[in-house]
Amino acid sequence: ADANQSYVEVRFKDHPHYYKISDVGYQTDALPQSDLVQVMNEKVIFVNHKFVFNFSNSRNSEEINLFSVFLKDILPFTKDSTKAFYLDSIYNEIIETVKLPNSSTKNKTITAFISGFNTELDFFLEKVNLKLTDFYNDHFKDEGELKLKIKLKYEGKNRLNYFKPTKIKVKGGSVVTYKARDYELVEPKIEVEICELMEDMSELIVKKPHVYFNEAKLTAIALSIRFATLDLTSSADGRFLALDDMLISLDMNNRTKVVDFLLSISDKYLIYLFTHDRGFFEIIKRKVIN
């Protein structure tokens, strides 16, 4: 307990700043505009099996909430519309401000931060939704299978909020409601709404996808959401996409679909795909050679 704590520190030649990871997290003396690690984060996307698992890691009685997945794996690499801040840093600033002592400006500051965060998250999810349904149906739908309509929803009571909640107590044998004295932060939810498109063009809403679909289909939906966030319009500029054995729950047919997609974007991203499956490796190798 008295020993020095472990850390990893990186320095670059001809660059005056340090980049350090320790038990207290990430530290640097560089300003945001000259932070090489943050700049590289914009060009890096990691996808592993944990991302796919967390997508459907909900109890049968619960609705899927993807906010924690987005906060950990997507928002740290997503800048706001001004390209000045990462969305996770805006959210973390709100969390830290809530912890401050109450003051005349605290609530106004938090409310302003929340309004900005919600607007930016709306804008980002709208861009993802524009590509999401087509992405799944173009890359993952099997022949003869019903098309899916997939939409990420962030609305109503699911939005990040900060207010005095209404509470209940028993007084004189009667149940009465009252406003809490202190403001509370309402954790946000990102829901996923999925409909099966029937042959008569009607839509059948799938209320609990993690109960209705098998693991392979859920993996395909999760990857569709992740891949729909990729920038496929800009030319290659040093970005890379790393995928660490996140296809283990897919059958070989669906794995092949993922590889075909990755090869189709290999002019946009440098791709690192790791697998322990020798047979899958051989399939990838043949496709690359061909």
Side-chain angles (χ1 to χ4, degrees):
D2 296 330
N4 292 330
Q5 292 297 311
S6 303
Y7 66 89
V8 176
E9 184 175 313
V10 176
R11 293 179 181 269
F12 297 92
K13 185 178 179 180
D14 300 325
H15 183 70
H17 304 293
Y18 72 85
Y19 302 91
K20 183 176 179 179
I21 296 176
S22 68
D23 60 325
V24 298
Y26 170 63
Q27 297 169 294
T28 180
D29 60 348
L31 296 174
Q33 60 267 28
S34 58
D35 185 339
L36 294 182
V37 173
Q38 289 283 35
V39 170
M40 286 188 286
N41 269 351
E42 293 180 60
K43 302 179 182 296
V44 175
I45 293 175
F46 288 99
V47 185
N48 60 21
H49 187 62
K50 286 184 179 180
F51 170 82
V52 176
F53 172 76
N54 289 335
F55 172 84
S56 57
N57 185 26
S58 301
R59 296 176 181 175
N60 289 355
S61 59
E62 298 174 335
E63 302 290 340
I64 290 178
N65 178 13
L66 297 183
F67 183 77
S68 61
V69 177
F70 270 70
L71 185 62
K72 179 178 181 298
D73 293 305
I74 298 177
L75 300 189
F77 312 104
T78 304
K79 279 196 167 180
D80 64 6
S81 54
T82 68
K83 303 298 182 183
F85 302 99
Y86 292 92
L87 296 191
D88 75 313
S89 67
I90 300 174
Y91 180 79
N92 291 333
E93 183 73 17
I94 294 169
I95 298 298
E96 292 305 313
T97 306
V98 169
K99 297 177 183 177
L100 296 176
N102 291 330
S103 68
S104 58
T105 60
K106 175 182 173 180
N107 292 341
K108 289 183 179 179
T109 301
I110 294 173
T111 301
F113 281 163
I114 288 176
S115 176
F117 176 81
N118 284 338
T119 298
E120 293 294 344
L121 189 53
D122 282 338
F123 179 69
F124 174 65
L125 294 179
E126 184 179 335
K127 291 195 299 181
V128 175
N129 281 332
L130 287 175
K131 299 184 289 184
L132 181 50
T133 291
D134 287 341
F135 190 95
Y136 174 84
N137 291 321
D138 291 344
H139 295 285
F140 285 108
K141 188 185 82 67
D142 287 327
E143 186 175 352
E145 182 183 72
L146 293 174
K147 287 186 175 182
L148 297 185
K149 180 179 177 182
I150 309 171
K151 181 181 180 181
L152 298 173
K153 298 180 67 176
Y154 181 66
E155 55 192 32
K157 294 181 179 179
N158 288 339
R159 296 165 70 80
L160 182 63
N161 204 349
Y162 187 67
F163 67 103
K164 292 182 179 180
T166 300
K167 298 193 174 184
I168 298 174
K169 66 179 179 180
V170 177
K171 186 176 181 180
S174 301
V175 176
V176 297
T177 60
Y178 67 100
K179 284 286 186 183
R181 184 181 66 176
D182 297 322
Y183 283 79
E184 294 183 11
L185 192 68
V186 178
E187 292 294 325
K189 293 182 180 179
I190 296 177
E191 295 181 321
V192 56
E193 180 182 86
I194 301 178
C195 300
E196 288 185 322
L197 303 180
M198 313 305 287
E199 293 182 0
D200 61 359
M201 302 307 293
S202 62
E203 298 179 0
L204 176 64
I205 297 178
V206 179
K207 293 189 176 181
K208 292 186 177 179
H210 54 303
V211 179
Y212 186 78
F213 294 123
N214 61 29
E215 186 177 6
K217 180 67 72 70
L218 289 171
T219 298
I221 293 170
L223 292 177
S224 296
I225 292 174
R226 190 65 182 97
F227 291 154
T229 69
L230 300 181
D231 175 11
L232 301 180
T233 57
S234 303
S235 57
D237 60 355
R239 290 172 294 172
F240 72 81
L241 173 60
L243 305 105
D244 183 15
D245 243 336
M246 73 340 163
L247 305 180
I248 55 178
S249 59
L250 290 176
D251 57 29
M252 197 59 71
N253 178 47
N254 279 306
R255 290 188 191 186
T256 302
K257 292 177 183 178
V258 174
V259 174
D260 288 339
F261 167 71
L262 295 176
L263 291 175
S264 75
I265 65 168
S266 58
D267 60 333
K268 306 295 184 185
Y269 287 86
L270 180 63
I271 297 169
Y272 295 87
L273 196 154
F274 301 90
T275 179
H276 70 281
D277 187 325
R278 182 64 182 237
F280 183 42
F281 167 77
E282 294 295 340
I283 290 175
I284 297 170
K285 188 169 72 171
R286 285 198 300 271
K287 280 185 168 290
V288 171
I289 292 173
N290 291 335

